[in-house]
Every structure is written in structure tokens, then in C-alpha cells.
Amino acid sequence: MTARRDMPGSEERLARRHRRFGWTALFAWMCGGLVLELFHGFKLGDYLLDPVRRELWTLAHFHGALLSVVNLVYVRWAEAPGTSAVARGRASWALIAGSVLMPVGFLLGGLQHYEGDPGFGIFLAPLGALALLYPAAVQMRGAWRRRE
Amino acid sequence: MAAARTEETRLAPNPVVRIGTALLGALALLAGLATMVRSVAIDVTTPVDLSRVSYATSRTCVMCHPGRFETWHRTFHRTMTQRADRGAVLGDFEDARLVFQGVTSRFTREGERHFIETLSPDGVMARHEVVMTVGSRRIQQYVTRIGGRHVRLPLAWNIEERRWIHLNGGFLHPDGSDFNTHRADWDNNCIFCHNVKAQPRYDERADAFDPRVVELGIACEACHGPAEQHVRRNRDPMRRYFLHAGGRDPTILSPREMTPVRQIQLCGHCHGQRLPNPPQRLAEFILVGDPYTAGDDLGTFTAPIGAHTELPGVDLRQRFWRDGTPRLTAYEYQGLLMSKGHAGTELTCISCHEMHGGDPRGMIRPEMRSQRGCLQCHAAIGLDVRAHTHHHPTGPGSDCYACHMPPTTYGLLAIHPSHRITNPDPAHAARTEMPDACTLCHTDRTTLWAANEARRWYGEDAAEAAPKGGGEIAETVRALLGGDVVQRAVAVNAMTQEASYTTDATARLWVVPFLLLTMEDRYPAVRHFAYRGLSRLVRRAQAASGAPPSARLPDFDYLADGPDRAAAIARCWSWWRSLDRGRIAHPGPGVPLDADLMPIRAEVAAMTVRQAQNAIAIGE
């Protein structure tokens, strides 16, 4: 990894952005996980007896934490050669957007839901998934490019 | 570095092109979404003829309706009819035996297969494999396949008492009835009400049935209509969320959104015995199947059986009190239609009953068994209950059901609330020889007393004048000793039910001698009521007194042979005579008991003569 003092300015900003977002989000979703454990520990019926809510909030916690880690790992890969600065910039924001939309979609979908369907908030989750596809595609494309 | 910047400059598109492309893309996306939404909007507002739709079964409902599925899954509707596997069969098939009318029936199991060996109509013992069960709450019946038809055998498992019984003792038949009186065809009888969309498919040439049902038991589509279109179309999430936002799905029925008449007919399709209408339609029922689909006008296909309905070979009048009120279960539909003031109101079955919640026993929420059920419409009465009932506002005398839906209906070895909602009128009841709500609680009182009290409280317009006579004997005692079999069953229940004119459990024991006499009844069901009621009374009295039982009530099997029953009854009389009856107050001159609380035989004999004249038999 390039030493931080040798990274170009935009790349340093990108790395800082994802470090801050990643650790903040990881902290938040880990706290969320603790809350779910408290629900289990104190047998909160509104959570335990509602299978749709349980599933969606578990998905929210898991995806939120996982995507937080992806953001932290992305710091290492963001400056992969073969990827333009513009593309890296868009991919960076798309990754952050997706990392917010997807788990929040699960969270809201479980907050108020219908008998067999999540609430309208669930529509944020596929939007987030689409947003996440962009940085993945950018990285994939960059990984297959021959190094110059 | 310079080369890279040049490349970036060459590759970076014109901002105007970029914005224009994004806008076009967004517009295309919006146009696409709008088209989809419009398509869905048209779809959900286009009516669907459900009679042409296929059924999907409850297995497909659970994917989107897990909560509704679960609340249905724990009901006795679901288990009304089941394949006879070990999970469904509740009876004791570990080489159990039942001796009835000198016939020893055996119940055995081989792995997952269950067998009943019993007397056939041709007089020989035969072993039958059980293929289906019917019932899962009070009594479970068993169906076998004989030749080209399914047959319900005349033996059943009493679930609550955990014993085998013969159905002559479950229905209202006297001793001596044929052993196979209640061996019945399932394919053209039980199939219609105990399953979804029955099709007997009778083959006249082969004299055989090839029955089909959409689903065994009473499942989702019995009430919500055929769901194949509903399932298929709602796989589209866009359609589902369009409906979540508001709107009515035309591909499925919701009973709560039906008109009151259609709601009642939905339940009445099974909870109200009917005949094909016109009668010639019977062929359609038997050859093809039940043409009714949830939501249809039930009257298009069938007519409810009433007191004046004629059916060759069956005296249907016995199923009704003389004023036409049903007195058997499975006539709740008729009862509700006859209810005072019902026509034109919003009162339906689901005003009180709950299909997806509450206690599965009765399909009713606990609060609906209390005054709250009635006060949801009759709120003004709740402001001053005592003024309306003339009883303590929270006592059994202020139980709405006790007066307006009194327990006068027989079914499955129990007495149930009447579903004809009326105002209590003792004099009218006496004239029509039916039980009246007042003396069903005040079992020590006469009709004359009850009629006079009713007119004194509610005025001469509200209640008929007392009939001539009716002032000597306590009405419930009179019905018990001289009434027909339903009257006697209702009377026993009144004497032994928990609700009573007194909270003193010991004081109620004055009825014991009459119950002991009733244990000699020639109808097994009535004997059963008498002993079961006696047991409950004694238990309550012992619990209330806190004293250990001075002597245990002897056992009694209402299905045992006559000599065995007589011996058991003799032991019960000895038990009664050995009790210290000093704490039991004499109920009054209206009850033919001497000072020692023993029956005055002459008076009793005079009443029981009339009982013999009222010999009837009531089947299903």
C-alpha cells in the first residue's frame, strides 16, 4: 500500500472518506446488533414474535456491518490502476450510497410491514443493491485491465 | 501523467450530453414505471368472475399470509376431515375394545394404518381400514372405503372423555336402535360441509363414487373463494404494493367486505342444513358437485331446512321447537335468520365469531362471550344493566346470552346457545313446549312464576300472559321428567350448568335425585348428560365446601348393558342416601321431593308417563 503521505490529494480524500464512513457505519450497525441481542435477552415480543420484522432487521444489521467492512477494504483497492479518477469518484459515492440504502431499506421495511411483505421502505434495498453494483463493476473492470 | 490527463480529457463526455442522457434515461424509467402502475391499476379494478377461477389450496396462502395461515391452522375447521395418519388419529388403536349391544368392536393399528373391526349390516364382523377422520374437538369419527364408496362407521372416539362410544349414544336414539343406524355414506353426505368444494362424482352404472375435494377440512378458499388467480397475479410485487397502498383486490373475497346477507350465507353454507333448490338439483350435487362458490347467493342452489320442510322418510319437525326455533346444531343459519329484528341490520356471524383469532373452541374471542359482544351494538343497555336485566349487573342473570340465546340446542353430546336471538317470554315458551330462559336458571321455579315476573318487569306488551296450569311443578323438573329427549337433555344441562340462580353449590344438590332417575333414561345421550352433570355438581359442591368427600360418587357407564347400569345406579342411590343432606335446603313446593330430598314417586310417575309418549329419534 502506498504510504499516505505519497497519495495524490483526491485519492487521500477518497480513502479518508471511506475510512470515516466505514468505521462510523460499522460502529452504528454493531450497536444495532447489540440492540437485537437485547431484544432477545429481554424477550421483546414486538421483535421476537414478528417473523418478518426479525428477518428484515437481521438482514439490516448483517448487510450494514458487512458493507461497512467493504468500505474499509475499499480504501486498499480504490487506487487500483486501470481505473480513471472520475470512475473512482463515482464508484466511491455509489458504494457509500449503496451501503446506506440497502441496510436502511431492510430496517424500514421491517419497521412497518404488511402480513407477507416488508413495508414500502424495502424499495430502498434494491436501489442500494443497484448502487453497489457500480463500484463492483468498476473494480472488476479495473482488475482485468493489463497493468501499464 | 500528462498522457493520462490527455486521455481523460479525450474520454470525458460533454457535460450537456451527459446531463441530457441522464434526463432521457430518467424519463424513460419514469415512463416505464408509469406504464406498469397504470397496467396494475387497470388490473385491480377489473372485476373477476370467481366461479370460473381454479382453486389453489391453503399451501399457497401461507407464503403471503403467514399470520392468517397460522390462526387458521390451529382451528378445528382445518382438522374437520383429515387423512388417517398418526398425527390425525386421536383414538386409542392399541388393541382397544368397545362392547355395545353385545358386540365387541376392536381398534388396532399396524404401523401407520388403523383398523376397526365391528359388526356389518349383514350381521358378520368385518375389519375395515380407516382412511379418513372426521372431527377433532369433541368426537372423532372414522371413515373407511367399502366397495365403491366411503362409509362413516358407527363408532367414534370421545376426545374429551378419552373413550370409545357408539354413535347411537352420540345422537338422539333410544336403546334398541339398530347397531348400524349411524353407518352412513360419506361421499354424498358429510363431504359437502366438511371439506372445500366437494364433488361426489357418482357413477350411476357402477353405483360408486369417485369423490374429489379441493382440500380436506374447511380451508381458506371455503370462505375466500378460489384463489388461483389471486396467487398468480400477486406474484408481481408491483401489484402487491399497489394494493398495500390502498384498493380492493378483485381476485379474492374478504368476508368482512361482503354484504351482511352474503356473510351469513357464507357460514350458512355449512352451519345451516339445506336441501337442493329446486329438488331436481340434487342430481347436480351428487353427479358433479356442490355448485356454490363463496360469495354466491346461497339461495340460488339450496333452501334451508325448516320445521315445515318435507323430506320423505325423515320427520324434520323433530329438529325444531314448536315455534320453529332450531333445536339441533348445524341450524345456526336458520336461527339467525329468524332472530328478532335481524332483517335489515348489520348483525352477522362475524359480529361475534372470529375466524382468525380468539378461542378455537367456538371461533370466538373471550370478550365476545361476555356482555361486550352485545354491547357493541346495544351500548345504551350497558349504561344501566340492572335496569334492563333486573339482576345483579355482573351476575349470571345479566349474561346477555343466558336470556337472549339460552342453551336450548343439542349437538355432539353438548347443549349449545340457541342462535335465534329472542326476548325471553316464559308464557310463550310454555305454549310452544320449549324451554324458557328464566327457568333454565331458576330451575326450582314454575312457568307461572317466571311469566308473572316477566310481565311485571317488562310490561304486558313484552310478554304473554301465563298459560293455564304451569304453576304447580318447577318447569325444568317437569321437562326433565315428562319432556321429549331434547327437552330432557336441555333440562339436565340447566340443572347442572355452572350458571345458576344461586352461588351455593351445596344448595344445588337437590337436583341429584332427578339426575339419578334420568340415569335410567332409555336414551344413552340423556343418561350421559345426567351422570356427567351429576359428577360436575358434586365436584363443585366438594370444592366449595372444602371438606373431603364423605363418599365418592360411584362410576357409571351410560353405554353399558342394562343390568350393569342398574347396578351402578343402585350404588349411586346408596351414595345419595349415605350423604348428610342436612345442608341442602328443600327447593320449595314446586319440586316433587319429600322432606328427605327423595322423589315423591307418585308425582314423578305421573310426569314420566308423558315422557314415554314423546319417544322420538333424531339423527344427523
Side-chain angles (χ1 to χ4, degrees), chain A residues 115, chain B residues 65-73 220 224 354-356:
Chain A
E115 186 181 356
Chain B
H65 302 285
R68 291 281 191 264
F69 181 90
E70 192 277 332
T71 52
W72 163 78
H73 198 267
C220 314
H224 292 285
E354 177 77 44
M355 300 305 289
H356 287 288

Side-chain angles (χ1 to χ4, degrees), chain A residues 114-118 120 122-123, chain B residues 64-68 240-241 244:
Chain A
Y114 307 97
E115 186 181 356
D117 275 327
F120 274 92
I122 194 63
F123 284 105
Chain B
C64 295
H65 302 285
R68 291 281 191 264
R240 292 203 311 274
Y241 278 90
H244 286 322

Side-chain angles (χ1 to χ4, degrees), chain B residues 335-605:
Chain B
L336 188 58
L337 292 178
M338 297 173 71
S339 295
K340 179 178 182 297
H342 157 260
T345 70
E346 298 291 311
L347 178 70
T348 69
C349 312
I350 58 177
S351 299
C352 301
H353 291 281
E354 177 77 44
M355 300 305 289
H356 287 288
D359 188 347
R361 295 167 300 175
M363 307 286 286
I364 192 165
R365 291 195 181 278
E367 59 267 27
M368 287 299 174
R369 292 191 189 276
S370 70
Q371 294 172 355
R372 280 182 60 183
C374 308
L375 293 180
Q376 60 182 329
C377 295
H378 300 280
I381 293 173
L383 300 175
D384 188 351
V385 173
R386 188 188 291 274
H388 176 75
T389 68
H390 298 271
H391 289 75
H392 189 283
T394 61
S398 291
D399 174 11
C400 313
Y401 296 100
C403 294
H404 296 285
M405 297 177 68
T408 60
T409 304
Y410 174 84
L412 291 171
L413 289 177
I415 301 297
H416 307 267
S418 169
H419 275 66
R420 181 182 183 181
I421 304 169
T422 58
N423 291 334
D425 189 339
H428 171 80
R431 287 193 176 84
T432 53
E433 293 197 44
M434 57 186 292
D436 82 85
C438 308
T439 54
L440 286 178
C441 252
H442 293 276
T443 52
D444 59 339
R445 297 289 191 166
T446 65
T447 294
L448 180 64
W449 170 86
N452 289 339
E453 289 296 293
R455 283 166 71 88
R456 186 168 65 84
W457 287 345
Y458 301 110
E460 297 181 358
D461 291 338
E464 297 177 16
K468 286 191 173 54
E472 295 88 27
I473 304 293
E475 175 57 23
T476 304
V477 174
R478 189 204 63 75
L480 179 68
L481 297 175
D484 68 19
V485 60
V486 181
Q487 289 173 306
R488 298 201 298 279
V490 170
V492 171
N493 183 74
M495 287 178 167
T496 59
Q497 65 183 355
E498 196 152 351
S500 173
Y501 65 93
T502 178
T503 56
D504 185 344
T506 302
R508 294 184 66 189
L509 291 178
W510 64 261
V511 305
V512 169
F514 299 107
L515 298 177
L516 294 177
L517 289 173
T518 308
M519 284 160 59
E520 300 172 26
D521 201 288
R522 60 199 194 95
Y523 285 73
V526 176
R527 296 197 294 265
H528 178 63
F529 276 139
Y531 183 71
R532 187 175 66 184
L534 174 61
S535 303
R536 289 173 179 170
L537 267 182
V538 170
R539 270 200 305 273
R540 273 187 231 125
Q542 288 172 344
S545 70
S550 54
R552 188 177 159 277
L553 178 67
D555 293 332
F556 173 77
D557 180 2
Y558 72 107
L559 289 176
D561 290 336
D564 293 334
R565 296 200 313 268
I569 292 170
R571 288 191 291 273
C572 289
W573 278 111
S574 297
W575 165 86
W576 173 243
R577 290 192 191 92
S578 70
L579 280 186
D580 175 13
R581 299 188 293 282
R583 282 195 55 217
I584 307 170
H586 195 286
V591 178
L593 290 173
D594 60 24
D596 207 25
L597 296 180
M598 296 297 284
I600 300 173
R601 292 284 173 174
E603 293 186 42
V604 168

Side-chain angles (χ1 to χ4, degrees), chain B residues 76 137 140 157 292 304 315 323 347 358 442-443 465 523 531 568 604:
Chain B
F76 298 108
R137 184 191 161 184
Q140 187 169 71
W157 176 255
Y292 175 79
D315 186 0
D323 70 344
L347 178 70
H442 293 276
T443 52
Y523 285 73
Y531 183 71
V604 168

